Amino acid sequence: MTEPLTPPATNETAQETDFLRQRVLDPALAILQSSREGVALRPQLREVGRIREVQRGVVRITGLPGARMGEEIHFADGSRGMVLRLTPEDIGVALIEETGQLHAGLEAYRSGELVDVPVGDGILGRVVDATGVPLDEMGPIRASQRYPLERLAPPIMHRAPVHQPLQTGIKVIDAMFPIGRGQRELILGDRQTGKTAIAIDTILNQRDQDVICIYCAIGQRSTAVARVIETLRQSGAMGYSVVVVASGDAPAGLQYITPYAATSMAEYFMEHGRDVLIIYDDLTRHARSYRELSLLLRRPPAREAFPGDIFYIHSRLLERSTHLRKEYGGGSLTALPIVETEAQNLSAYIPTNLISIADGQIYLSPDLFQKGMLPAVEIGRSVSRVGGKTQLPAYRAVVGMLRLTYTQFEELESFSRFGARLDETNRQVLTRGRRIREVLKQKQYETLAAADQIAILLALTQGLFDTLSLPRLEEAQREVRTHTRKQLPLLVEKIERGEKLTQDEIERFVEVLQKVLQLEQQEDGDVHARRD
């Protein structure tokens, strides 16, 4: 007989087997059983499409019958896109993130959700792209919520009148074209005329003003955006700012959604009672990116090859800027969109669209820029249709007819170049106008508080600068600011609180300025005597 290969089990072996089964196998089987009972395996339907055609920044997909406008689409290689066109044959998707490996036949999947962005206090001080991906190497974004890119503008009954000023720190703007919190003020001009400089100065002036600032760079050079970020960091402004970037080499789809993403981030703070300033730099490049997408998606072109809804994409963006009533948050969103003109042509398609949408415009003249009159604001073509009601009362008491006086000076100056003889009155107009022009000059990054501006403008309108030579005006302005804060601290506090100045206070103000400028006149006379 053949002997068994294994020895018969002994009592000790049986006991060991029972021990392993009770202590190890039975608990493990019980855990597996409970886990299986807690998981309900149900079949799920998933729409799968395939890429039909790949173009620059645009993909056409067959399938996905349930896709909707604005929905996020995922691709098998990790790329992402947003639905921009629906047709019976296929859908058009604008890429917002691509790996460079897309090809015809690759699978595409619906996400079932609209493209959204992170919002909350965690984005303050950060540099992100339109999808919320951090670009500053400071770790992931800690967002409290996510908002969709496209949100309905607040209805009329949720809005409150604009009543509080937003100080830019720039004399010519705060005095003549004031901006209110909740207003949309367009900044436009040719290339290299200082449009971004005005926007950055406005951000820097919001320090200690409880205003959150969002700088939205659309299609800008990476080096230019890096300079802006470095300026904000050196000035301590990044603590209350957010920079949303889509550089010039980014996909057109990413450039298109960037201003909407930045606005959604701003709306979170507005709905929580905060005042927000947003800079769109610039909407000309945004319109060009949308034109590129539309042509690739075979939409019919209209004027200047832009699609027919180019006005609508900007109007629905800027209509989200407003001042909310207290029961709906009480915050405000002030928009400063930047637009580039060509050869000073304000009647081009995109500039005229945005001029009609905004509440005013600040036009920067290349002629003034070349003459060194910075900021190069052309007073005759600039206007603020809302901010005048929000201007601090002290400005209205001091500025008076400053704009009209300067306009008359410009006309008289052009007339006097022909060698016409002028009487004493006209010579005084020229003298005052030249000093107005000199005083309205301001260096970049040197913003002024409201009290400092009013002190300078009061001395200007009262003719206290008329006897000073033009080279002495810069030093005289510094003396005026210094002595105003030293000798009239209560008046300075009253101006900053937004209270109206009485006639007696204005007269006291003028007396102090006269004493300060008398010393400047003596020094100016001594300089001229030494030259002689």
Side-chain angles (χ1 to χ4, degrees), residues 147-158:
Y147 275 9
L149 292 179
E150 297 276 3
R151 305 182 76 223
L152 292 177
I156 294 177
M157 298 307 296
H158 291 189

Side-chain angles (χ1 to χ4, degrees), residues 87-99:
T87 66
E89 296 79 19
D90 55 24
I91 64 174
V93 176
L95 295 176
I96 58 178
E97 181 183 354
E98 56 178 319
T99 62

Side-chain angles (χ1 to χ4, degrees), residues 127-141:
V127 180
V128 299
D129 69 4
T131 61
V133 176
L135 305 176
D136 51 10
E137 299 180 352
M138 295 175 59
I141 301 292

Side-chain angles (χ1 to χ4, degrees), residues 192-209:
Q192 302 297 321
T193 52
K195 301 184 295 296
T196 302
I198 288 180
I200 299 305
D201 279 352
T202 304
I203 293 177
L204 299 181
N205 197 57
Q206 304 314 309
R207 177 185 288 183
D208 302 326
Q209 300 296 318

Side-chain angles (χ1 to χ4, degrees), residues 37-77:
E37 292 175 355
V39 176
L41 297 178
R42 298 185 182 91
Q44 293 183 351
L45 293 176
R46 186 181 186 184
E47 292 187 21
V48 179
R50 291 190 179 277
I51 295 179
R52 177 180 180 180
E53 183 181 1
V54 179
Q55 295 176 311
R56 180 181 176 182
V58 170
V59 172
R60 303 174 71 86
I61 302 174
T62 57
L64 303 183
R68 50 181 176 160
M69 288 292 291
E71 182 177 354
E72 185 172 334
I73 301 297
H74 297 166
F75 297 92
D77 69 333

Side-chain angles (χ1 to χ4, degrees), residues 148-306:
L149 292 179
E150 297 276 3
R151 305 182 76 223
L152 292 177
I156 294 177
M157 298 307 296
H158 291 189
R159 303 179 183 228
V162 177
H163 60 81
Q164 189 176 0
L166 186 137
Q167 295 291 127
T168 65
I170 302 172
K171 289 174 288 188
V172 64
I173 296 177
D174 291 338
M176 298 186 185
F177 316 106
I179 300 172
R181 298 189 181 185
Q183 184 179 344
R184 301 159 298 179
E185 185 77 3
L186 187 65
I187 302 175
L188 74 163
D190 287 7
R191 292 183 68 253
Q192 302 297 321
T193 52
K195 301 184 295 296
T196 302
I198 288 180
I200 299 305
D201 279 352
T202 304
I203 293 177
L204 299 181
N205 197 57
Q206 304 314 309
R207 177 185 288 183
D208 302 326
Q209 300 296 318
D210 196 25
V211 176
I212 293 173
C213 302
I214 297 181
Y215 177 74
C216 176
I218 310 164
Q220 301 289 328
R221 297 190 307 272
S222 299
T223 54
V225 177
R227 284 197 299 268
V228 171
I229 295 172
E230 185 62 24
T231 299
L232 296 178
R233 284 177 175 163
Q234 291 180 355
S235 304
M238 279 300 291
Y240 57 85
S241 301
V242 183
V243 179
V244 186
V245 181
S247 60
D249 56 354
L254 192 65
Q255 296 183 38
Y256 166 67
I257 69 172
T258 296
Y260 300 101
T263 306
S264 294
M265 296 176 187
E267 283 179 329
Y268 170 84
F269 297 106
M270 178 181 68
E271 293 169 358
H272 286 75
R274 305 291 297 274
D275 293 318
V276 187
L277 167 67
I278 185 167
I279 311 292
Y280 301 110
D281 191 8
D282 64 56
L283 291 186
T284 303
R285 289 180 172 85
H286 178 250
R288 291 170 182 166
S289 67
Y290 186 63
R291 176 173 62 183
E292 177 182 343
L293 292 173
S294 298
L295 293 175
L296 290 172
L297 292 173
R298 300 177 186 176
R299 288 179 174 174
R303 179 179 171 185
E304 297 182 17
F306 287 105

